[in-house]
Every structure is written in structure tokens, then in C-alpha cells.
Amino acid sequence: MACEQCTDSIFRQKIGRCQRCMVQLTVLSILTWPIWWRFFADQPKTVESIALLFFAISFTGLLCLHLLVWCYRKLYQK
């Protein structure tokens, strides 16, 4: 990644600071959920459906973690 925080090796120092990561996760979440809903929601037990669902949940979960830590840092570190 191009930002300074992403060159650090400690995971918790990266969370909530990298705008580029948050934008990428937002775009990926916005893309994967409608694709899963449109093409795979009616067949939830196929391998493709489960894989895309795991990706969508992972993207959204990591984005939520980023945003939660970002809000925490904005509120309590000033």
C-alpha cells in the first residue's frame, strides 16, 4: 500500500487509519453483495454462492472494524 501506516507490520496500528483500505473495502462490499443477491441468493448451498458470501461478509466485517476503530480514534484521542 502507498500510505505510511500500511508499511507497519503491527495489525492493530493499521486498523482505522488507512483511507485507501477503507475505500477499497467499501467498493468491494458494494460490488459483492448485489452480485451475490442477484445471482446466488436462490441457490445458497452451491460452492460459488458460499465463497462469494464469505468474501462479502469478510469485506463488510473488516470495513466495519476499520470504521469502528476510526470513530474511536477520532473521539478519544483528542
Side-chain angles (χ1 to χ4, degrees), residues 3-28:
C3 61
E4 292 178 14
Q5 286 83 18
C6 288
T7 59
D8 293 339
S9 62
I10 299 175
F11 180 71
R12 68 178 188 194
Q13 289 179 352
K14 295 178 186 181
I15 293 292
R17 291 187 175 151
C18 182
Q19 295 288 351
R20 185 176 181 180
C21 293
M22 288 188 264
V23 169
Q24 288 175 354
L25 288 170
T26 302
V27 170
L28 288 170

Side-chain angles (χ1 to χ4, degrees), residues 29 32-33 50-64:
S29 294
T32 53
W33 282 112
I50 294 170
L52 189 61
L53 186 61
F54 280 144
F55 279 119
I57 290 170
S58 299
F59 295 146
T60 306
L62 190 55
L63 177 63
C64 289

